[in-house]
């Protein structure tokens, strides 16, 4: 009769992990208590101003600047990225110079220069350089107002960063994909849009959404234009009421809400992209197995004939 040895499974213990969790919870409790029960935070004032129409209008301006700036910077940044990757030394050099310039200049400097652009140039003309041929002329002060200056400034700076993100995504695609796409005889634009870009999106999306979130917070810089976006509106209110901290907390809460929504959109987009990649991989494996089953013919058994 054989003896059966019983093996007792003991789960691994991590005492340092438990200590770290306890310390983290203790620190969190201290912070919550100091913020929630300190009367100097003036949470009643925070609640009074949070949904104020002036604040909501500022939030709307911030969201509009973020949306337009993102759309224009993606378009301009994509063009700059393609120019940087171009085999033309002129296009590549011009795109590099643009990116170098606007990545070097602070956003607030660009905004102030654009807002005072009418001091440098009275009119903006569209025509042939070094000739008297013009198709249109506009007074600068009428073209670059507060909103247009903010949009142009945000787009110029953000597109420089977006161009490098898109360029990095394209460079992250294996060179064999370019060769395979070229071997199919597809036009360059079709190769880029249908084959290279879907693969580059895996690298572009995380960094791209980081830049969108930075742009949403960077709209606070347009306060130098006296434009009533969220931060400027809060400044005007607390300069009048002297309730600085609770109004700054109103702005912080709204910026947290905006960035949280953008982070959720990023998560859903990345999840949908990963799901589509898994689906395409499964379909590719099915097609490959079906192709192998059709092309592979079973070996024929030898036929034995009787000779009489």
């Amino acid at each position: 009769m054989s003896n059966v040895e019983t093996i007792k499974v003991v789960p691994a213990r991590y005492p340092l992990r438990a200590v770290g969790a306890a310390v983290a919870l203790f620190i969190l409790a201290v912070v919550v208590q100091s913020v929630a029960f300190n009367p100097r935070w003036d949470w009643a004032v925070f609640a009074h101003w949070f949904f104020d129409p002036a604040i909501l209008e500022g939030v709307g301006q911030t969201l509009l600047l973020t949306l337009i700036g993102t759309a224009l910077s993606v378009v301009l940044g994509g063009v700059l990225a393609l120019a940087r990757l171009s085999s033309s030394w002129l296009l590549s050099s011009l795109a590099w110079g643009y990116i170098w310039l606007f990545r070097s200049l602070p956003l607030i400097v660009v905004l102030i220069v654009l807002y005072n652009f009418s001091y440098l140039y009275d009119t903006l003309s569209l025509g042939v350089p070094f000739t008297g041929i013009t198709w249109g002329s506009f007074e600068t002060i009428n073209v670059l107002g507060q909103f247009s200056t903010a949009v142009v400034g945000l787009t110029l700076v953000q597109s420089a960063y977006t161009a490098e993100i898109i360029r990095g995504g394209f460079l992250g695609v294996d060179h064999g994909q370019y060769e395979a796409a070229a071997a199919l005889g597809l036009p360059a634009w079709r190769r880029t849009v249908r084959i290279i870009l879907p693969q580059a999106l895996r690298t572009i999306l995380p960094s791209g959404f980081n830049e969108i979130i930075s742009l949403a917070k960077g709209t606070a810089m347009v306060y130098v234009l006296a434009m009533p976006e969220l931060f400027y509106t809060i400044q005007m209110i607390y300069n009048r009421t002297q309730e600085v901290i609770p109004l700054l907390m109103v702005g912080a809460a709204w910026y947290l809400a905006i960035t949280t929504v953008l982070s959720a959109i990023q998560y859903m987009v990345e999840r949908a992209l990963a799901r589509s990649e898994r689906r395409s991989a499964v379909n590719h494996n099915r097609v490959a197995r079906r192709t192998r089953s059709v092309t592979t013919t079973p070996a024929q058994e030898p036929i034995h004939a009787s000779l009489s």
Side-chain angles (χ1 to χ4, degrees):
M1 183 175 181
S2 59
N3 296 327
V4 179
E5 183 180 356
T6 303
I7 300 176
K8 184 179 180 180
V9 178
V10 179
R13 295 181 176 86
Y14 302 96
L16 293 180
R17 182 184 299 176
V19 172
V23 172
L25 288 175
F26 175 77
I27 296 174
L28 179 62
V30 171
V31 172
V32 170
Q33 180 187 8
S34 65
V35 173
F37 298 99
N38 187 347
R40 296 185 180 180
W41 286 96
D42 289 332
W43 292 113
V45 177
F46 172 89
H48 171 74
W49 287 104
F50 190 75
F51 290 109
D52 188 82
I55 298 294
L56 294 179
E57 185 178 353
V59 172
Q61 289 288 331
T62 297
L63 292 174
L64 185 60
L65 287 173
T66 303
L67 178 62
I68 298 177
T70 299
L72 294 179
S73 62
V74 167
V75 174
L76 183 56
V79 173
L80 289 170
L82 293 178
R84 284 277 283 123
L85 296 171
S86 174
S87 57
S88 171
W89 67 268
L90 178 60
L91 291 177
S92 180
S93 300
L94 291 176
W96 179 88
Y98 178 96
I99 295 170
W100 165 78
L101 177 63
F102 285 103
R103 284 204 305 177
S104 303
L105 295 176
L107 175 60
I108 192 170
V109 173
V110 176
L111 291 173
I112 293 175
V113 170
L114 287 174
Y115 197 55
N116 294 277
F117 204 68
S118 59
Y119 171 77
L120 299 174
Y121 301 95
D122 296 329
T123 60
L124 294 176
S125 301
L126 181 64
V128 180
F130 306 107
T131 65
I133 302 175
T134 57
W135 297 302
S137 180
F138 310 93
E139 292 187 2
T140 307
I141 195 171
N142 295 329
V143 175
L144 291 176
Q146 288 178 325
F147 186 80
S148 57
T149 299
V151 170
V152 172
L154 292 171
T155 301
L156 290 176
V157 175
Q158 190 63 35
S159 60
Y161 293 96
T162 304
E164 287 298 279
I165 292 173
I166 295 176
R167 186 176 72 92
F170 279 101
L171 292 177
V173 178
D174 187 76
H175 188 68
Q177 299 292 323
Y178 291 88
E179 296 177 349
L184 293 175
L186 299 175
W189 67 270
R190 191 175 180 85
R191 295 198 303 263
T192 301
V193 174
R194 298 297 300 273
I195 297 178
I196 306 303
L197 182 59
Q199 300 180 65
L201 281 177
R202 290 178 293 180
T203 306
I204 294 173
L205 279 178
S207 301
F209 269 96
N210 282 340
E211 288 301 318
I212 295 174
I213 292 173
S214 298
L215 178 62
K217 297 181 294 184
T219 55
M221 285 294 180
V222 304
Y223 79 94
V224 297
L225 309 178
M227 181 180 171
E229 48 79 45
L230 178 58
F231 186 65
Y232 181 79
T233 303
I234 288 173
Q235 278 186 315
M236 292 299 99
I237 295 175
Y238 73 60
N239 285 336
R240 187 176 70 250
T241 63
Q242 298 302 310
E243 296 167 335
V244 179
I245 297 299
L247 282 164
L248 286 177
M249 292 303 296
V250 169
W254 274 114
Y255 283 119
L256 281 172
I258 293 172
T259 55
T260 301
V261 171
L262 291 175
S263 299
I265 294 174
Q266 175 186 356
Y267 172 77
M268 290 186 292
V269 171
E270 290 179 351
R271 188 175 180 181
L273 183 62
R275 191 183 301 116
S276 65
E277 289 177 357
R278 287 195 299 268
R279 190 184 305 115
S280 62
V282 169
N283 293 334
H284 180 268
N285 292 334
R286 289 176 179 174
V287 171
R289 287 197 299 267
R290 191 180 300 113
T291 303
R292 286 197 299 268
S293 63
V294 171
T295 56
T296 303
T297 57
Q300 295 182 353
E301 296 181 358
I303 301 175
H304 301 278
S306 58
L307 300 177
S308 59

